[in-house]
Amino acid sequence: TVEASIPEQLREAWRKHSASEFTSKEQFEKELVRHIETTLARSLYNCDDNAAYSGTALAFRDRLIIEWNRTQQRQTFNDQKRVYYLSLEFLMGRALDNAMLNVGQKEAARDGLKDLGFRIEDVISQEHDAALGNGGLGRLAACFLDSLATLNYPAWGYGLRYRYGIFKQEIIDGYQVEIPDYWLDNNPWEFPRHDVTVDIQFYGTVRKTQDQNGKVQHLWENGEIVQAVAYDVPIPGYGTKTTNNLRLWSSKASTGEFDFQKFNAGDYESAVADQQRAETISAVLYPNDNLERGKELRLKQQYFWCAASLFDIVRRFKKTKRAWSEFPDQVAIQLNDTHPTLAIVEMQRILVDIEDLEWDEAWRIVTKTFGYTNHTVLPEALEKWSVPLMQNLLPRHLQIIYEINLFFLQYVERNFPNDRDLLTRVSIIEESHPKMVRMAYLAIIGSHKVNGVAELHSDLLKTTLFKDFVEIYGPDRFTNVTNGVTPRRWLHQANPELSALIAKKLGGHEFLTDLTLLDKLEAFVDDKEFRTEWAAIKSRNKVRLAQLIKETTGYTVNPDALFDVQVKRIHEYKRQQLNIFGVIHRYLTIKGMSAEEKKKVVPRVSIFGGKAAPGYWMAKTIIHLINKVADVVNKDPDVGDLLKVIFIPDYNVSKAEVICPASDISEHISTAGTEGSGTSNMKFVLNGGLIIGTCDGANIEITREISEQNIFLFGNLAEDVEELRHRHFYGEFQLDPQLAKVFDAIKSNMFGDAAHFSALTASIEEHGDYYLVSDDFNSYIAAHAVVDQEFQNQKEWIAKSIASVARMGFFSTDRVINEYADSIWNVEPLAVKD
Ligand code: PLP
């Protein structure tokens, strides 16, 4: 064994001096002061909140790294199957608070910091969010890492270490302005591994030769080499010794600092340019959510990250000296969307070109290893890469893709003879100009399981997008794993008071690792005192959000008003336009009321937040409209506190942690059939907010769990969408009369120059209303009227809130990860002994 390779005497010496972790306030203070004085070279006299943050983070980092080392040793000695989660995005947010809570030393830190003159909240808020993701897909990956560690699965995440994460959003004159998010200065959570590097090749040519035995070989030569350097981020589990690893790759030129030949020849600029070109690969996260643009640099990012990760995984496997046939018993690789699909091709290349396996044997290993998660049916989000682009950048991989396709089409032809249309439909290569590689098809063909992320979404995959593949492979390759969220961050960390109240009632915090235990709360729905405490916590969370609103927008809102929240990426399919049109409708209605009528109005604050992709004009127009409506409504004395409109700038994970616990109602109102799952819907309900939503994504399963009484559903169903669009196309479109009044108001320049918003209104009135805003408007307004009415009965409202939380047990990522482990990865947790 690996262990026996080190003499006992040596092991003993190491053990004796092995670092230990702090477990008390005093020990924490000692570590904190040591780091502030020596690592940071500060003193009592110049230690500000930021230095206190760095010192605290370093103290906790030490703890994590001790556990990290032990976990990695344990997993290596144990030598069982590991999971590798490949995701181009990890939307982690802040790490310190999470680390404190997961290792269970937050109170020691709070008290220790207080002794030294600091407030823990101020210290925590110094941290810059790690925002290496766009939205739901990236945040899901982050929640998965938390659950994998908490459940003791031997698992690694692999991603890219972007120098710039998702841009910071400022709102200037009502417009979104993007500011680069340089987040790496002062980041204590990563460990550069300058010894873990991989050379990655691009471009070049493929030469075909034969070896001594006459076997054909493909040599990929004369390419450009870029170096991948590993940076490791420790991922602590909650209440366990397991600390897993997230490995992020950073790019640099492989020839060292400069190409010295060029440098000596006086070509200084071009030597620096080469260096910069290499570093460009991991420089920036593409800021598109649910949209693929086919840019070469993006494909370079994808291959760079897949090739480095695969090399690393294979290197680790080879250390075990096992036969290749055992690879799928040791390794499960999950593809988060199609972004890492090239990993399938790279694996086949490694096995065939480098390790000399026969094609069929290699392919069996590959398909047993990979699983693919689809996140969307939106056509604009489905990845396709142009064949000429791929030919130039990755010539050998394109050959392998053609080969995979050939064998696949032969298989289809054998099983479905003489069906030319079928062959054209399912071919990995789309016969367009230029030809395109369809990445989702490649991912299906190269994986043993394909899953959607909510029941409706998985059903739609099987009946629409991937219908032919269900015919070809049978239904077993396709499955559903409904998304979830980690209750550690999204209940315990984001809403400490609610977590404490629940723990008091249930006799402990066990629900944080078994969320189904929440069902015991149902017994207290009629407990008056409990209801009062529950409502008081919601109220305090609303005050906290009101402060954030004041700080970020300057507006004062009344915390007793109904807080109505829609925060998520801005997208036509998510329909923030429906929401703001609804707000305008409410505004016009209030303006038309007598003083008597106004007394009956439930005061409301409509809160929006979310980023638009920088090139997505319609989304930016929606942001602009929301801000212009806010300008008018918020200073209209006819309305006063009855309606306020807020756009919180720069929505991110840290802000989500303040927003989610503070909603009375939140909006998940995508056109039916367009949202994969949604995860913020789960976060809001878990924090005692009710939701208004369409029958889409995981809203459907949330309804099933919490019951139809506890959710405000509206709108057309997925099964009717196609027919409605068809009718619009053939001119059978009538603008909803209430929406027409809203459009009249916009066109009267009530919210500034109507020309700014004409594309938005025209997309509905003139261009077919693809997202069915008009079709759903009436039912949306009616659902809000019911919300207003029910909110007035606070007793019932709180009862609904408690009953809903009690039934949210299903939506923990712990359940999700166990499902993946059982039905896709076939991996077992590794028990941890003290
Ligand atoms: N962005 C951030 C910062 C989040 O925290 C979340 C999830 O809570 C999302 C996006 C995804 O939101 P939704 O499921 O509403 O699209």
Side-chain angles (χ1 to χ4, degrees):
T1 67
V2 190
E3 203 169 6
S5 69
I6 312 270
E8 173 56 28
Q9 209 183 342
L10 264 182
R11 271 188 279 153
E12 185 49 39
W14 277 84
R15 247 182 250 132
K16 196 163 116 202
H17 298 293
S18 183
S20 61
E21 57 217 16
F22 63 83
T23 51
S24 69
K25 181 186 83 162
E26 284 71 25
Q27 288 170 332
F28 165 72
E29 283 179 31
K30 190 169 160 222
E31 292 300 304
L32 176 58
V33 171
R34 180 174 69 81
H35 274 301
I36 290 173
E37 290 189 338
T38 60
T39 321
L40 304 174
R42 300 273 198 125
S43 73
L44 165 63
Y45 301 101
N46 65 356
C47 182
D48 53 11
D49 279 347
N50 198 264
Y53 160 71
S54 294
T56 308
L58 288 165
F60 274 90
R61 184 181 81 162
D62 286 351
R63 249 197 88 120
L64 294 194
I65 218 64
I66 296 166
E67 301 290 6
W68 184 96
N69 268 325
R70 290 185 187 146
T71 303
Q72 299 316 315
Q73 277 171 29
R74 194 159 57 234
Q75 292 180 1
T76 303
F77 291 168
N78 197 272
D79 195 26
Q80 72 184 61
K81 187 169 184 176
R82 282 192 173 99
V83 181
Y84 296 102
Y85 196 75
L86 268 57
S87 180
L88 207 40
E89 303 189 5
F90 287 93
L91 191 49
M92 303 295 285
R94 290 179 179 146
L96 178 58
D97 201 5
N98 188 247
M100 290 173 167
L101 290 167
N102 277 17
V103 306
Q105 293 295 334
K106 186 167 178 181
E107 290 317 305
R110 182 193 301 280
D111 297 344
L113 282 163
K114 194 165 163 223
D115 283 354
L116 299 169
F118 297 96
R119 252 171 45 97
I120 194 169
E121 289 77 16
D122 299 336
V123 170
I124 286 170
S125 66
Q126 294 296 312
E127 185 173 348
H128 200 117
D129 269 37
L132 307 185
N134 277 286
L137 176 148
R139 185 53 232 176
L140 183 77
C143 285
F144 278 11
L145 293 182
D146 183 76
S147 281
L148 282 161
T150 300
L151 295 168
N152 300 313
Y153 283 103
W156 286 47
Y158 275 106
L160 271 185
R161 178 182 178 269
Y162 303 108
R163 219 171 330 132
Y164 297 93
I166 188 68
F167 62 85
K168 284 189 181 300
Q169 178 193 55
E170 285 184 11
I171 302 296
I172 297 178
D173 294 336
Y175 291 100
Q176 167 175 299
V177 174
E178 299 96 23
I179 316 286
D181 169 52
Y182 183 76
W183 69 290
L184 287 171
D185 271 352
N186 218 350
N187 172 17
W189 301 106
E190 61 173 15
F191 287 83
R193 301 283 189 194
H194 295 295
D195 55 326
V196 182
T197 61
V198 188
D199 279 349
I200 308 293
Q201 181 167 233
F202 294 103
Y203 307 106
T205 50
V206 180
R207 185 160 57 90
K208 214 167 155 178
T209 61
Q210 291 189 332
D211 66 9
Q212 304 96 317
N213 307 320
K215 192 174 166 197
V216 175
Q217 286 190 313
H218 294 87
L219 304 177
W220 179 20
E221 301 171 327
N222 305 319
E224 189 180 300
I225 308 287
V226 177
Q227 196 176 60
V229 183
Y231 285 73
D232 288 347
V233 183
I235 308 291
Y238 174 82
T240 169
K241 300 261 174 207
T242 300
T243 295
N244 279 338
N245 194 25
L246 167 60
R247 178 158 284 181
L248 302 175
W249 298 104
S250 182
S251 60
K252 62 186 262 207
S254 79
T255 45
E257 289 300 303
F258 292 108
D259 180 333
F260 275 99
Q261 265 179 350
K262 277 188 185 167
F263 184 66
N264 290 334
D267 199 359
Y268 176 77
E269 279 178 26
S270 115
V272 178
D274 283 354
Q275 171 79 10
Q276 284 177 343
R277 206 148 50 97
E279 288 180 6
T280 300
I281 293 177
S282 61
V284 60
L285 165 78
Y286 274 87
N288 301 321
D289 187 68
N290 277 299
L291 179 74
E292 282 302 327
R293 289 279 193 191
K295 293 271 200 288
E296 179 176 87
L297 181 60
R298 166 85 166 183
L299 188 62
K300 265 185 141 167
Q301 289 187 334
Q302 294 185 350
Y303 179 65
F304 172 81
W305 150 65
C306 288
S309 307
L310 257 270
F311 185 92
D312 208 42
I313 293 166
V314 165
R315 173 166 58 192
R316 195 166 302 119
F317 171 77
K318 285 175 83 165
K319 278 202 240 164
T320 69
K321 311 257 190 259
R322 290 167 193 266
W324 280 110
S325 58
E326 291 179 59
F327 191 80
D329 304 326
Q330 291 297 104
V331 174
I333 302 178
Q334 191 65 27
L335 307 177
N336 195 21
D337 213 314
T338 52
H339 316 147
T341 302
L342 282 171
I344 288 173
V345 188
E346 176 69 1
M347 185 74 213
Q348 182 71 1
R349 186 182 77 85
I350 292 171
L351 293 177
V352 173
D353 289 3
I354 301 171
E355 301 294 337
D356 234 10
L357 267 66
E358 293 300 327
W359 179 278
D360 287 350
E361 191 194 351
W363 189 242
R364 263 194 303 279
I365 292 170
V366 169
T367 51
K368 278 192 202 168
T369 301
F370 285 92
Y372 155 51
T373 303
N374 172 285
H375 286 266
T376 180
V377 295
L378 296 183
E380 65 270 31
L382 296 178
E383 272 192 294
K384 291 178 191 174
W385 289 104
S386 115
V387 166
L389 195 154
M390 186 114 43
Q391 165 71 48
N392 185 42
L393 188 70
L394 299 167
R396 179 59 185 143
H397 293 77
L398 187 67
Q399 286 180 347
I400 293 172
I401 291 170
Y402 268 99
E403 199 86 347
I404 293 169
N405 200 34
L406 177 69
F407 287 124
F408 169 66
L409 293 180
Q410 284 172 347
Y411 171 82
V412 176
E413 172 66 25
R414 275 199 303 281
N415 290 284
F416 303 85
N418 306 319
D419 193 344
R420 296 241 111 232
D421 278 353
L422 178 65
L423 293 179
T424 313
R425 285 203 305 274
V426 299
S427 170
I428 296 171
I429 307 297
E430 180 183 276
E431 296 294 326
S432 44
H433 299 284
K435 291 183 181 169
M436 304 294 273
V437 183
R438 296 154 158 165
M439 300 306 267
Y441 291 5
L442 179 54
I444 295 172
I445 294 164
S447 301
H448 65 288
K449 282 281 181 200
V450 176
N451 75 286
V453 289
E455 271 176 26
L456 173 68
H457 170 237
S458 297
D459 286 345
L460 285 172
L461 286 180
K462 285 201 267 188
T463 51
T464 61
L465 217 50
F466 300 156
K467 187 166 181 275
D468 289 324
F469 289 89
V470 176
E471 279 282 301
I472 292 165
Y473 288 123
D476 286 355
R477 187 173 299 217
F478 298 87
T479 184
N480 171 250
V481 187
T482 299
N483 282 168
V485 302
T486 169
R488 271 77 63 182
R489 183 176 290 258
W490 295 108
L491 179 52
H492 192 44
Q493 181 181 326
N495 200 343
E497 285 202 59
L498 193 64
S499 179
L501 176 63
I502 295 171
K504 193 171 88 185
K505 272 294 175 208
L506 303 189
H509 275 106
E510 284 74 21
F511 63 94
L512 290 176
T513 43
D514 177 2
L515 203 62
T516 61
L517 293 174
L518 286 178
D519 65 3
K520 301 208 164 46
L521 284 179
E522 203 140 3
F524 305 107
V525 167
D526 294 323
D527 175 336
K528 199 160 163 234
E529 197 185 323
F530 180 64
R531 274 209 310 258
T532 307
E533 285 185 71
W534 188 275
I537 290 169
K538 176 63 77 182
S539 185
R540 285 194 289 275
N541 287 330
K542 287 169 72 178
V543 170
R544 183 168 68 148
L545 176 55
Q547 279 161 357
L548 176 73
I549 289 172
K550 180 80 188 169
E551 283 159 24
T552 54
T553 69
Y555 287 121
T556 304
V557 297
N558 174 11
D560 295 329
L562 188 162
F563 277 18
D564 169 351
V565 181
Q566 188 179 18
V567 286
K568 49 186 82 224
R569 285 301 288 255
I570 311 293
H571 209 298
E572 284 165 284
Y573 89 82
K574 290 179 182 277
R575 296 204 296 191
Q576 285 90 355
Q577 71 276 41
L578 174 60
N579 187 344
I580 193 63
F581 295 151
V583 170
I584 296 172
H585 175 267
R586 177 175 291 265
Y587 175 63
L588 299 175
T589 308
I590 295 171
K591 293 276 285 180
M593 282 177 171
S594 66
E596 260 329 285
E597 285 170 319
K598 280 186 192 169
K599 285 187 188 150
K600 295 193 197 122
V601 173
V602 178
R604 198 183 266 244
V605 184
S606 276
I607 299 161
F608 295 81
K611 294 172 187 177
Y616 187 177
W617 273 106
M618 199 67 94
K620 289 185 147 178
T621 303
I622 295 169
I623 291 178
H624 190 207
L625 179 60
I626 295 167
N627 281 290
K628 288 294 160 188
V629 171
D631 282 351
V632 173
V633 171
N634 295 353
K635 59 171 185 258
D636 188 336
D638 290 349
V639 173
D641 263 0
L642 295 185
L643 181 62
K644 286 276 179 279
V645 182
I646 300 296
F647 189 93
I648 298 176
D650 200 39
Y651 177 57
N652 60 15
V653 171
S654 294
K655 288 193 176 137
E657 288 168 18
V658 178
I659 296 167
C660 288
S663 80
D664 293 305
I665 196 98
S666 67
E667 310 225 3
H668 309 276
I669 57 177
S670 48
T671 310
T674 62
E675 186 72 273
S677 156
T679 47
S680 80
N681 43 5
M682 302 164 190
K683 293 170 189 176
F684 281 102
V685 180
L686 186 60
N687 282 284
L690 304 189
I691 63 183
I692 178 167
T694 44
C695 293
D696 200 20
N699 288 356
I700 294 172
E701 286 140 284
I702 292 175
T703 307
R704 188 160 71 211
E705 294 293 312
I706 70 175
S707 103
E708 231 169 298
Q709 268 82 59
N710 296 325
I711 186 166
F712 302 93
L713 290 176
F714 74 96
N716 284 283
L717 301 179
E719 64 213 49
D720 301 321
V721 167
E722 203 180 329
E723 162 79 17
L724 284 165
R725 283 181 180 156
H726 188 79
R727 281 202 226 149
H728 294 176
F729 187 79
Y730 286 100
E732 279 181 55
F733 176 79
Q734 277 226 314
L735 189 62
D736 176 273
Q738 313 229 63
L739 186 58
K741 287 187 197 151
V742 170
F743 283 11
D744 287 345
I746 294 172
K747 287 174 191 170
S748 75
N749 299 328
M750 188 179 280
F751 308 107
D753 187 353
H756 285 133
F757 313 115
S758 57
L760 187 54
T761 49
S763 73
I764 294 163
E765 287 182 294
E766 295 166 33
H767 304 140
D769 190 14
Y770 188 76
Y771 296 101
L772 312 187
V773 173
S774 176
D775 301 82
D776 283 348
F777 195 69
N778 186 42
S779 133
Y780 178 65
I781 296 299
H784 270 299
V786 178
V787 170
D788 281 325
Q789 198 193 345
E790 296 205 358
F791 190 69
Q792 286 168 297
N793 184 345
Q794 273 296 302
K795 186 176 162 214
E796 266 303 302
W797 187 277
I798 297 297
K800 281 173 192 274
S801 164
I802 298 169
S804 301
V805 173
R807 299 175 196 171
M808 284 299 284
F810 181 70
F811 298 101
S812 165
T813 33
D814 295 344
R815 186 269 309 159
V816 181
I817 287 299
N818 280 326
E819 279 186 23
Y820 276 95
D822 286 350
S823 67
I824 301 178
W825 303 331
N826 193 26
V827 292
E828 298 287 335
L830 173 54
V832 186
K833 294 184 277 290
D834 271 322

